[in-house]
């Protein structure tokens, strides 16, 4: 469903993403782990078409993001790490606008919205302007806007940022349900608990380079012994740094 | 590079303006005593308009400078006196809102001073004791008004306050003009000298002595008309008013700045009890769903941004005053010779070109930048950014062309122009609208500033200056071409020359339309956040 082939991105002298290749199957929940500045957000922005590629290719649901961006974007839902939304619109107007941008008819927008409002507990404040929202409220609206057009692929950059524990639980449950219904989910995070709880597979990236891909179990099991995912993650990153003499 | 280009453009504008005002002034002085009176009067009126515009622009930029700036929010968390924050922001606001108007004011002042025979040292005195306090006083007025408006916005909606302020301003404007009988000359005719004498007597009384533009016009009088004691008096008047203004504004800021800041902070939560605006509910017949969404979003954002709609209304107000003046002079125009009628008609076209330049630079240039950091929502949608760009182009074209065409039709009617000339103007305006909207939108995309929320600051940036200069150059070519075409038509000139002139303006329009749109398309496709 998602195919990244030899993907690279350079910003002046910094190689943000270095020859990255990944293959994610339909209905899989895939977590992308890495320390700050590892290249996670850059990879995601290239995947959703917000950034151009220096080399390589990205296929989303069979559509090349560079050659067929409209078709690819029509099946993607995206939640950024910090949701910048139109400040002067109300949350309701914003979601209505998103539905219309995806050419949904008003009836199905309202039907779908009704479910999302209920599920994400937004009814009380969705009629207020976005300028008055807290970070968590904005994040909930961003989730609703990504779910609204029923995408086949969901890309989420740091899913739990700014969310209170109750909403975080709701989001986790929704992600699990979507995965069961066949939606492919790609999340980028440095919260290892989230990755451990939700993921079918994880990948670790550092300084733009992929350090490993596998199931959570395969990562935790070293020489037949089970290890804490956090310790394993830190060791992999440390070994990579030492190998580079950093 | 940017500094060199900007400085060249600004100096070019100042020098060009100076030459224009100097020649205009010399022409008036050649008309004898009547010309002298008119010259003084024009200087006074020019600075009066600048004074009101300064208050307005200070008021509009003040919203974001004093209340919406993230820097203020950060400074408020530090152990810094709120009054100090206010003072720093006051100076910032003074600079931001004054510099563009000074480009108009400096050449006007230099030319008038030159005509009055001021020595370089006198210029210095006038600048230090006149123009600097003049700008300062306007900023004091605006900051005071802004704090009062924000204070009352806790009881009455900000939009209602602005409407009341606008009505009050319009009322004062009307009272001033009706009491000062500006159109005595037009109403009474020039047939007898008594009417002319009455008009001249009126002119000497109409300046309002309690506003700084009057003091400034007094400071500029030559040494024969103004003794040094009087010059000292007006300089002292400026300096003491500015000093008292500073004390008053400091007292006010100490008392209510933080309170008004908190009122503004709380407004995000207070204002939105409207789930969906009527604009979003409107069916927009014939438009596809994504286009409806884009138009509705742009309109709602415009209507909820006071910096936008207040200034748009003010522009509309000035245009309305212009049309009313033309309507009142309708009877008089019919008595004029064809030469003067054509001259007024050309001035009218030039005025509309100027209005178009102002409208496009102020309202079309910032539209891409104003998407801000929310642009990702459009970039993520299943259509190209080119489509967003094209939608913005047609929306701007529809609104601005309709407005200018309506003004053109009304003004041509009041000027009693022949139908074929009116059609010609409409054609030229169509080309001007196409060229200037493309230019503003295209360069606005090339020089986009997504981190700047204030549309006024966006349009007064580097790209905005280039846009306004290129727009004025186009208008100058357009007006010149129209003069040539009208002269050729009225003098039964060769069709070849008419065709050549029209061909030139068509090619220029094509370049002004195609190149910026091409650059804009390229820019919007490459935005990366």
């Amino acid at each position: 469903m998602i195919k990244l082939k030899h993907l690279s991105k350079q910003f002046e002298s910094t190689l943000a993403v270095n020859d990255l290749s990944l293959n994610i199957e339909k209905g899989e929940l895939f977590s992308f782990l890495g320390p700050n500045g590892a290249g996670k957000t850059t990879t995601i922005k290239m995947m959703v078409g917000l950034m151009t590629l220096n080399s390589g290719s990205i296929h989303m649901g069979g559509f090349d993001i560079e050659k067929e961006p409209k078709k690819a974007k029509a099946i993607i839902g995206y939640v950024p790490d910090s949701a910048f939304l139109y400040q002067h619109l109300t949350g309701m107007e914003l979601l209505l606008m998103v539905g219309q941008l995806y050419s949904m008819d008003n009836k199905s927008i309202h039907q779908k919205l009704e479910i999302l409002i209920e599920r994400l507990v937004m009814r009380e404040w969705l009629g207020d302007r976005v300028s008055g929202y807290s970070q968590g409220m904005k994040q909930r609206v961003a989730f609703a806007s990504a779910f609204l057009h029923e995408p086949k692929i969901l890309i989420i950059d740091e899913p739990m940022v700014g969310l209170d524990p109750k909403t975080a639980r709701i989001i986790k449950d929704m992600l699990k349900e979507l995965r069961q219904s066949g939606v492919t989910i790609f999340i980028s995070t440095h919260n290892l608990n989230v990755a451990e709880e939700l993921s079918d597979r994880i990948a670790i990236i550092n300084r733009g380079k992929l350090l490993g891909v596998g199931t959570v179990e395969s990562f935790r099991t070293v020489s037949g012994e089970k290890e804490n995912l956090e310790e394993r993650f830190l060791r992999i990153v440390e070994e990579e740094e030492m190998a580079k003499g950093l | 590079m940017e500094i060199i280009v900007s400085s060249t453009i600004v100096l070019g504008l100042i020098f060009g303006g100076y030459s224009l005002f100097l020649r205009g002034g010399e022409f008036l002085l050649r008309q004898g005593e009547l010309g002298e009176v008119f010259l003084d009067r024009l200087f006074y009126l020019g600075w009066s308009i600048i004074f009101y515009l300064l208050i307005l622009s200070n008021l509009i930029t003040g919203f974001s400078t004093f209340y919406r700036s993230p820097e203020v929010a950060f400074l408020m968390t530090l152990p810094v006196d709120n009054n100090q924050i206010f003072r720093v922001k006051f100076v910032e606001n003074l600079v931001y809102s004054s510099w563009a108007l000074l480009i108009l004011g400096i050449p006007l002042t230099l030319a008038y001073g030159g005509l009055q025979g001021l020595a370089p040292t006198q210029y210095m005195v006038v600048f230090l004791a006149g123009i600097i306090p003049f700008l300062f006083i306007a900023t004091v007025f605006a900051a005071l008004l802004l704090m009062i408006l924000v204070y009352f916005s806790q009881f009455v909606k900000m939009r209602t306050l602005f409407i009341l302020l606008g009505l009050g301003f319009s009322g004062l404007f009307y009272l001033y003009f009706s009491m000062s009988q500006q159109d005595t000359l037009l109403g009474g005719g020039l047939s007898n000298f008594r009417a002319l004498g009455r008009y001249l007597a009126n002119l000497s009384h109409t300046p309002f002595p309690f506003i700084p533009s009057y003091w400034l016009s007094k400071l500029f009088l030559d040494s024969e008309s103004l003794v040094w004691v009087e010059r000292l008096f007006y300089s002292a008047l400026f300096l003491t008013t500015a000093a008292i203004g500073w004390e008053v504004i400091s007292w006010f800021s100490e008392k209510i700045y933080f309170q008004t800041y908190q009122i503004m902070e709380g407004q995000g939560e207070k204002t939105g009890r409207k789930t969906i605006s009527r604009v979003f509910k409107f069916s927009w017949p014939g438009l596809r769903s994504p286009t409806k969404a884009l138009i509705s979003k742009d309109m709602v954002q415009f209507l909820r941004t006071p910096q936008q709609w207040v200034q748009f209304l003010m522009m509309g107000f000035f245009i309305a005053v212009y049309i009313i003046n033309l309507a009142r002079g309708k009877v008089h125009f019919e008595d004029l010779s064809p030469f003067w009628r054509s001259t007024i008609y050309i001035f009218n076209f030039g005025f509309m070109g100027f209005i178009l330049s102002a409208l496009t630079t102020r309202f079309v240039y910032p539209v891409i930048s104003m998407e801000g950091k929310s642009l990702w929502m459009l970039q993520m949608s299943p259509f190209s950014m080119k489509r967003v760009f094209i939608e913005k182009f047609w929306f701007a074209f529809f609104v601005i062309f309709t407005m200018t065409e309506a003004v053109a039709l009304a003004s041509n009617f009041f000027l009693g122009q022949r139908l074929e000339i009116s059609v010609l103007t409409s054609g030229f305006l169509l080309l001007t609208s196409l060229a200037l909207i493309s230019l503003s939108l295209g360069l606005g995309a090339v020089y986009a500033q997504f981190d700047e929320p204030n549309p006024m600051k966006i349009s007064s940036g580097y790209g905005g200056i280039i846009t306004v200069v290129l727009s004025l150059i186009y208008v100058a070519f357009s007006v010149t071409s129209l003069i040539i075409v009208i002269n050729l038509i009225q003098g039964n000139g060769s069709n070849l020359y008419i065709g050549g002139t029209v061909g030139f303006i068509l090619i220029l329009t094509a370049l002004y339309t195609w190149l910026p749109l091409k650059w804009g398309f390229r820019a919007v496709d490459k935005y990366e956040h």
Side-chain angles (χ1 to χ4, degrees), chain B residues 237-312:
Chain B
L237 191 57
F238 259 124
L239 294 172
T240 47
T241 308
I244 292 168
W246 181 243
E247 283 305 312
V248 170
I249 201 76
S250 297
W251 185 83
F252 254 88
S253 76
E254 208 166 312
K255 295 285 174 206
I256 63 167
Y257 175 54
F258 185 62
Q259 196 185 345
T260 53
Y261 181 81
Q262 284 182 316
I263 292 168
M264 282 295 274
E265 276 293 283
Q267 291 218 333
E269 291 96 64
K270 201 186 76 171
T271 48
R273 272 293 149 198
K274 222 185 214 179
T275 309
I276 302 176
S277 147
R278 265 181 239 139
V279 178
F280 269 100
K281 287 179 181 166
F282 187 67
S283 61
W284 299 101
L287 293 182
R288 284 186 294 177
S289 195
T291 313
K292 269 185 216 172
L294 292 171
I295 291 178
S296 306
K297 173 192 72 75
D298 285 347
M299 282 182 72
V300 169
Q301 294 233 109
F302 183 88
L303 293 172
R304 289 181 187 163
T305 314
Q307 291 114 310
Q308 293 286 79
W309 63 263
V310 168
Q311 215 171 16
F312 194 76

Side-chain angles (χ1 to χ4, degrees), chain B residues 59-104:
Chain B
L59 196 62
I60 291 166
T61 51
F63 263 107
S64 47
T65 315
F66 291 116
Y67 297 110
R68 291 291 187 213
S69 149
E71 197 192 331
V72 174
F74 173 67
L75 289 172
M76 287 281 186
T77 64
L78 301 178
V80 181
D81 181 16
N82 293 332
N83 211 16
Q84 254 176 307
I85 299 173
F86 178 85
R87 285 175 182 183
V88 171
K89 290 287 147 189
F90 178 90
V91 176
E92 194 182 304
N93 205 41
L94 170 78
V95 174
Y96 261 121
S97 50
S98 309
W99 75 265
L101 282 165
L102 271 185
I103 293 177
L104 178 71

Side-chain angles (χ1 to χ4, degrees), chain A residues 9 11 45 48 50-52 70 73-74 76 78 80 83-90 92-94 96-98 100-104 110 124 127-129 131-132 145, chain B residues 159 268-269 271-277 280 289-290 292-294 296-297 300-301 304-305 370-371 373-384 525 527-529:
Chain A
K9 179 75 181 178
F11 297 109
K45 284 187 173 174
V48 297
L50 292 179
M51 257 183 200
T52 53
K70 288 182 209 170
K73 285 174 182 176
I76 300 175
Y78 167 57
F84 288 102
L85 309 173
Y86 290 103
Q87 298 287 304
H88 296 294
L89 302 187
T90 67
M92 194 69 186
E93 286 165 348
L94 192 117
L96 187 61
M97 179 195 85
V98 171
Q100 288 176 343
L101 289 177
Y102 281 87
S103 299
M104 291 170 75
H110 285 288
E124 207 181 307
D128 297 345
R129 283 190 205 166
S131 54
S145 76
Chain B
R159 188 180 297 186
E269 291 96 64
T271 48
R273 272 293 149 198
K274 222 185 214 179
T275 309
I276 302 176
S277 147
F280 269 100
S289 195
K292 269 185 216 172
L294 292 171
S296 306
K297 173 192 72 75
V300 169
Q301 294 233 109
R304 289 181 187 163
T305 314
M370 284 190 72
E371 292 293 335
K373 290 180 178 172
S374 312
L375 187 72
W376 70 271
M377 299 195 84
L378 300 184
Q379 288 179 304
M380 267 306 298
S381 306
F383 48 81
S384 66
D525 260 351
Y527 291 147
E528 291 187 346
H529 296 281

Side-chain angles (χ1 to χ4, degrees), chain B residues 95-408:
Chain B
V95 174
Y96 261 121
S97 50
S98 309
W99 75 265
L101 282 165
L102 271 185
I103 293 177
L104 178 71
I106 287 173
L108 178 71
T109 306
L110 288 176
Y112 185 72
L115 291 165
Q116 296 285 357
L118 285 192
T121 46
Q122 284 172 312
Y123 268 123
M124 283 300 288
V125 171
V126 167
F127 186 77
L128 291 174
I131 291 177
I132 299 278
F134 179 88
L135 301 175
F136 193 88
I137 293 165
T139 312
V140 166
F141 262 113
L144 205 59
L145 194 59
L146 182 63
M147 275 195 278
I148 293 168
L149 276 176
V150 174
Y151 182 80
F152 281 105
S153 73
Q154 59 185 320
F155 311 115
V156 187
K157 263 188 166 183
M158 190 63 88
R159 188 180 297 186
T160 316
L161 279 174
F162 266 109
I163 291 169
L164 288 174
L165 190 71
L167 285 175
F169 182 76
S170 309
L172 279 176
F173 205 78
Y174 178 78
L175 268 178
Y176 171 71
F177 275 92
S178 55
M179 282 170 72
S180 60
Q181 297 175 308
Q182 300 286 320
D183 52 353
T184 317
L185 189 63
L186 298 177
L190 267 173
S191 52
N192 69 60
F193 280 102
R194 204 174 297 163
L196 183 63
R198 208 169 44 233
Y199 186 67
L200 287 176
N202 236 345
L203 280 183
S204 61
H205 289 122
T206 45
F208 188 59
F210 300 111
I211 60 168
S213 42
Y214 176 79
W215 313 338
L216 203 60
S217 63
K218 282 285 177 190
L219 262 184
F220 267 86
L221 289 182
D222 59 68
S223 45
E224 282 175 28
S225 319
L226 198 71
V227 292
W228 70 270
V229 180
E230 276 185 283
R231 203 179 295 279
L232 197 66
F233 168 75
Y234 285 110
S235 302
L237 191 57
F238 259 124
L239 294 172
T240 47
T241 308
I244 292 168
W246 181 243
E247 283 305 312
V248 170
I249 201 76
S250 297
W251 185 83
F252 254 88
S253 76
E254 208 166 312
K255 295 285 174 206
I256 63 167
Y257 175 54
F258 185 62
Q259 196 185 345
T260 53
Y261 181 81
Q262 284 182 316
I263 292 168
M264 282 295 274
E265 276 293 283
Q267 291 218 333
E269 291 96 64
K270 201 186 76 171
T271 48
R273 272 293 149 198
K274 222 185 214 179
T275 309
I276 302 176
S277 147
R278 265 181 239 139
V279 178
F280 269 100
K281 287 179 181 166
F282 187 67
S283 61
W284 299 101
L287 293 182
R288 284 186 294 177
S289 195
T291 313
K292 269 185 216 172
L294 292 171
I295 291 178
S296 306
K297 173 192 72 75
D298 285 347
M299 282 182 72
V300 169
Q301 294 233 109
F302 183 88
L303 293 172
R304 289 181 187 163
T305 314
Q307 291 114 310
Q308 293 286 79
W309 63 263
V310 168
Q311 215 171 16
F312 194 76
L313 276 185
M314 287 308 290
M315 273 199 164
F317 172 73
F318 285 121
I319 294 171
V321 169
Y322 175 71
I323 294 288
I324 291 166
N325 274 337
L326 287 183
R328 293 180 77 165
K330 187 174 184 287
V331 183
H332 189 62
F333 295 133
E334 281 163 7
D335 299 334
L336 291 174
S337 68
F339 169 77
W340 282 110
R341 276 167 74 168
S342 294
T343 306
I344 293 174
Y345 165 74
I346 295 292
F347 269 115
N348 181 50
F349 180 75
F351 171 75
M352 280 180 291
F354 181 75
I355 289 288
L356 254 173
S357 309
L359 277 175
T360 51
T361 311
R362 174 61 188 81
F363 295 104
V364 181
Y365 178 82
V367 291
I368 297 281
S369 299
M370 284 190 72
E371 292 293 335
K373 290 180 178 172
S374 312
L375 187 72
W376 70 271
M377 299 195 84
L378 300 184
Q379 288 179 304
M380 267 306 298
S381 306
F383 48 81
S384 66
M385 279 302 290
K386 279 183 186 171
R387 185 163 163 191
V388 176
F389 193 74
I390 290 168
E391 176 271 323
K392 287 187 185 297
F393 173 84
W394 284 117
F395 185 60
F397 183 79
F398 176 76
V399 175
I400 288 176
F401 178 64
T402 312
M403 263 182 70
T404 37
E405 198 59 41
V407 175

Side-chain angles (χ1 to χ4, degrees), chain A residues 158-171:
Chain A
E158 295 296 349
M160 302 307 153
V161 168
L163 296 179
D164 59 72
K166 190 184 164 193
T167 316
R169 184 75 266 160
I170 293 170
I171 294 291

Side-chain angles (χ1 to χ4, degrees), chain A residues 42-61:
Chain A
T42 306
T43 306
I44 280 191
K45 284 187 173 174
M46 287 192 282
M47 287 168 72
V48 297
L50 292 179
M51 257 183 200
T52 53
L53 287 57
N54 284 141
S55 63
S57 67
I58 298 174
H59 282 82
M60 306 295 279

